[in-house]
Amino acid sequence: MAPKLSHLLLAILVIFSIQTFKSRARTLKPEHQQSFSSFLQKLEGVQKGQAAEGLLDLKKYLKKFGYYPSDATLTSSDFDDHLELALKAYQKFYRLNVTGNLDSSTTQQMMIPRCGVPDIVNPPPSTEPTSTESKHKKFHMVAHYDFGSNKWPPSKYALTYSFGPGLQVFDLNTLRSVCADAFQKWAQVTSFTFTEATDGASADIVIAFYSGDHEDGDPFDGPGKILAHGFFPQDGRLHYDADENWSTDPAMDQTDLESVSVHEIGHLLGLYHSNDRESIMYPSLQIGTKKRDLTQDDIDGIHALYPN
Ligand SMILES: *[C@@H]1O[C@H](CO)[C@@H](O)[C@H](O)[C@H]1NC(C)=O
Ligand SMILES: *[C@@H]1O[C@H](CO)[C@@H](O)[C@H](O)[C@H]1NC(C)=O
Ligand SMILES: [Zn+2]
Ligand SMILES: [Zn+2]
């Protein structure tokens, strides 16, 4: 009996210290960001057929961004055929070598902070023949930009916005001025106008900063990894992750508020992600960089969605 009891105590002690470590990791923010990079670094080079701790989290990451069939259930930490297919689809979108391997260019790409909106919106279920899917994807690869069926009707081209409740990361005047500039980028090339709603009036677009779970089914994740998300029409919610090191003029370890705003407004209007690396609608943004101006790809995309 005695050895068993000591084993039990040891197990409890291990569980307890893991829990303590987990909650510490959650409160120490810079470590959180580092841990995602080192998590990916540890997975680099893991081969098909092998199992590795962390592969399940990698699968969840890929599923979140649309690289698994909609009905996929992820349970194992094995590098299986499904993971290989998901990696190939990811590599194709990001125009990396389509190896199906966890090579360093793939893990490096995943380390760049990005938008929380999926790259492949509404992926088909696994029963759908893949040949049709890949043909469909190839068609979009030529155009770069992409969008779905959700858009604002012409009666809603004069949109209003407001700054909702949530965390205060910037003073209101700074936020106002950055958002006004970001809206202006899209107003210049479309029939949309964007006006701040007068006090108390309900607005089409509501902008706010949140930390972690904020009860819209898409929790934020601390510094790095996911920066913000915007909902497709006619929802109008634009949320920033309050745990990023935001700036209106970023240093090398900061994230540019205006660049992210211009991108998220693209989603509010109905655009999906573009795989054109230079475009505003490209999913990821390197820390410390500014990307504030629409490219021809973004303009072509919004004109295709709202032809005049
Ligand atoms: C793809 O593979 C080629 C040949 O191995 C290599 O030269 C190139 O740098 C790779 N590209 C990327 C994006 O990793
Ligand atoms: C945010 O960026 C500033 C400016 O580079 C830096 O001094 C500060 O340490 C950063 N804060 C965090 C939490 O990374
Ligand atoms: Zn996005
Ligand atoms: Zn949200």
Side-chain angles (χ1 to χ4, degrees):
M1 278 323 248
K4 271 187 184 161
L5 183 63
S6 66
H7 277 123
L8 183 66
L9 284 175
L10 186 64
I12 290 171
L13 196 65
V14 167
I15 290 167
F16 179 74
S17 39
I18 289 172
Q19 290 302 332
T20 315
F21 176 74
K22 269 188 187 162
S23 54
R24 272 175 57 99
R26 195 161 286 185
T27 47
L28 296 176
K29 283 170 182 176
E31 270 182 23
H32 186 287
Q33 183 171 6
Q34 230 173 26
S35 73
F36 185 62
S37 297
S38 57
F39 157 81
L40 285 169
Q41 259 155 17
K42 272 184 214 140
L43 289 179
E44 197 183 305
V46 174
Q47 302 282 329
K48 193 168 148 186
Q50 296 179 327
E53 199 188 335
L55 277 185
L56 184 56
D57 287 325
L58 177 78
K59 291 176 184 182
K60 286 178 184 163
Y61 176 90
L62 288 164
K63 181 155 198 293
K64 175 174 170 55
F65 297 115
Y67 294 103
Y68 269 89
S70 56
D71 56 350
T73 50
L74 309 174
T75 50
S76 87
S77 296
D78 299 338
F79 195 141
D80 51 18
D81 291 337
H82 298 294
L83 177 57
E84 185 180 44
L85 281 176
L87 282 169
K88 282 184 173 171
Y90 181 88
Q91 289 161 341
K92 200 167 155 194
F93 185 93
Y94 286 92
R95 303 184 164 198
L96 306 170
N97 289 328
V98 181
T99 59
N101 293 326
L102 269 169
D103 46 32
S104 69
S105 58
T106 305
T107 53
Q108 294 288 328
Q109 178 64 49
M110 290 174 178
M111 284 174 203
I112 306 172
R114 57 161 296 152
C115 170
V117 173
D119 300 332
I120 298 166
V121 180
N122 302 322
S126 49
T127 49
E128 204 153 290
T130 48
S131 57
T132 324
E133 220 278 304
S134 58
K135 251 184 227 159
H136 177 70
K137 241 17 245 178
K138 242 178 221 150
F139 170 75
H140 279 302
M141 287 297 154
V142 179
H144 308 313
Y145 61 77
D146 198 5
F147 52 79
S149 55
N150 293 335
K151 53 193 281 192
W152 298 93
S155 61
K156 280 280 190 185
Y157 284 179
L159 291 169
T160 57
Y161 60 91
S162 67
F163 300 98
L167 302 166
Q168 198 189 336
V169 173
F170 290 93
D171 66 273
L172 190 55
N173 282 337
T174 305
L175 189 57
R176 256 194 190 121
S177 129
V178 169
C179 289
D181 285 349
F183 280 122
Q184 205 45 39
K185 304 276 156 103
W186 292 101
Q188 275 165 6
V189 299
T190 60
S191 308
F192 285 100
T193 60
F194 303 94
T195 319
E196 192 178 341
T198 45
D199 281 342
S202 75
D204 302 305
I205 293 168
V206 181
I207 299 164
F209 286 83
Y210 290 110
S211 173
D213 188 359
H214 49 288
E215 297 180 345
D216 61 5
D218 205 359
F220 285 135
D221 56 4
K225 206 162 123 187
I226 292 171
L227 304 172
H229 52 227
F231 290 70
F232 299 126
Q234 299 176 41
D235 183 300
R237 281 175 290 174
L238 193 176
H239 297 162
Y240 304 95
D241 185 346
D243 292 326
E244 305 307 330
N245 198 346
W246 293 105
S247 171
T248 57
D249 186 17
M252 56 178 284
D253 55 354
Q254 294 183 306
T255 303
D256 186 41
L257 182 65
E258 183 170 334
S259 302
V260 173
S261 305
V262 180
H263 175 97
E264 298 306 333
I265 293 167
H267 290 315
L268 298 182
L269 296 178
L271 287 178
Y272 290 176
H273 284 149
S274 168
N275 68 342
D276 179 342
R277 202 167 277 277
E278 304 307 319
S279 73
I280 283 287
M281 293 317 292
Y282 189 70
S284 48
L285 179 74
Q286 288 281 9
I287 283 194
T289 63
K290 291 181 195 172
K291 196 203 253 183
R292 299 176 171 180
D293 295 319
L294 301 183
T295 64
Q296 197 56 48
D297 180 59
D298 301 302
I299 297 170
D300 291 347
I302 201 72
H303 286 174
L305 180 55
Y306 297 97
N308 277 314

